[in-house]
Amino acid sequence: MTESSAGGAGRRQKVQAAEVGTDILTALAELAPATSLSRLAEHVGMPASKVHRYLQALIASGFAEQDATTNHYGLGPAALFVGLSALGRLDVVKLATPYLAELRDELNETCFLAVWGNRGPTVVHVEQAVRAVTLVTQVGSVLPLLGSSTGLVFNAFLADAETADLRDLELQTPSAPSSRDLQAAMERLRQTQVQSVQGLLMAGVNALSAPLFSGGQRIAGVVTVVGTEPGFMAEPDGKAAQTLLRITRRISTRMGARLGE
């Protein structure tokens, strides 16, 4: 084999290795938050021994991690950094971030921004309340569609085709509202543009959510204020709701939305 052909073969091997590595990273994202080696191998259609070798390399580089208790695998901090860097290029994240800090300062409650991801409402930025005890809302968290104020806003304003599968799945749970009640709640939300919940996702934790719109009046994200009783009761017509609506409308206007049409 000549030196040039050997070099070409080496480059092809590197490209193939990179393709396998990205396939495994993609599968880790699809099976998030964590998965077993056998399930991951089945998902990518590779021998478990091969997947394990690549996982060790991904763990070493910080793109994957293994839970010491369950031995399951998930995305590591380096993968999160890359994902957030990509999300940071979205106008909604860039524009909303300083406004979320302003909202947090006015209300002294934790505020976060969520966008619609491939698994549903996904938290992409958090401004924690400045106090001794704060709520831990993590970047990367995926919230339920019907079991959170954030999800309910997406359900009301996103195209039905985007939410139907997840909504149908959650409607099968015992605690889900009836289709009629859900439809009535969606209509009210479209009028008020603020969603209030008390203890829906966690007992004693209340939340207010409002949509962000871009040009074309398409929902681009949801801003949520979350706090604990009795300090934060999340009244739908209270001061916090009015402040949330004022700031989300400012963000939407900056993003090219023509509100009131």
Side-chain angles (χ1 to χ4, degrees):
M1 180 181 293
T2 64
E3 183 176 342
S4 60
S5 62
R11 284 191 294 273
R12 284 194 296 274
Q13 289 176 349
K14 290 180 179 179
V15 170
Q16 290 171 354
E19 290 175 346
V20 173
T22 55
D23 285 345
I24 292 174
L25 277 175
T26 300
L28 286 173
E30 292 170 345
L31 299 174
T35 183
S36 65
L37 175 60
S38 59
R39 186 182 178 204
L40 180 60
E42 180 182 2
H43 191 77
V44 296
M46 299 178 194
S49 57
K50 181 177 181 179
V51 174
H52 185 263
R53 290 198 303 273
Y54 276 88
L55 281 171
Q56 298 313 302
L58 291 171
I59 290 171
S61 60
F63 280 90
E65 59 186 12
Q66 185 178 23
D67 188 303
T69 303
T70 65
N71 288 328
H72 284 189
Y73 297 90
L75 292 174
L80 179 61
F81 173 78
V82 171
L84 291 177
S85 296
L87 283 171
R89 299 182 63 183
L90 297 175
D91 286 345
V92 64
V93 180
K94 287 183 178 181
L95 288 174
T97 296
Y99 289 98
L100 257 69
E102 178 183 341
L103 182 62
R104 185 271 319 278
D105 291 344
E106 284 200 39
L107 300 179
N108 196 20
E109 301 290 353
T110 296
C111 308
F112 65 82
L113 169 67
V115 300
W116 186 256
N118 61 354
R119 297 176 58 239
T122 305
V123 178
V124 294
H125 185 80
V126 179
E127 292 289 344
Q128 288 283 358
V130 182
R131 56 173 56 151
V133 178
T134 60
L135 293 171
V136 179
T137 304
Q138 295 183 339
V139 170
S141 298
V142 178
L143 302 173
L145 184 70
L146 306 182
S148 68
S149 62
T150 305
L152 288 167
V153 174
F154 277 114
N155 184 62
F157 291 98
L158 267 180
D160 185 71
E162 297 188 60
T163 57
D165 288 346
L166 185 55
R167 180 174 61 252
D168 291 345
L169 183 64
E170 292 190 18
L171 280 172
Q172 297 175 22
T173 61
S175 60
S178 68
S179 296
R180 177 178 295 182
D181 288 346
L182 179 61
Q183 186 62 38
M186 289 169 62
E187 292 301 327
R188 288 194 299 271
L189 176 53
R190 289 167 183 151
Q191 292 296 320
T192 63
Q193 296 199 357
V194 62
Q195 176 68 53
S196 170
V197 300
Q198 285 79 31
L200 181 61
L201 189 59
M202 186 182 301
V205 177
N206 302 330
L208 289 167
S209 296
L212 300 178
F213 297 102
S214 60
Q217 308 308 100
R218 177 178 173 81
I219 185 171
V222 174
V223 173
T224 296
V225 182
V226 61
T228 56
E229 298 178 356
F232 184 68
M233 298 306 294
E235 299 95 341
D237 54 355
K239 178 183 176 182
Q242 294 171 8
T243 302
L244 173 63
L245 283 172
R246 172 170 52 83
I247 288 182
T248 53
R249 286 168 178 166
R250 286 168 59 192
I251 300 171
S252 295
T253 300
R254 286 286 310 277
M255 294 179 63
R258 304 178 67 177
L259 303 180
E261 294 188 355

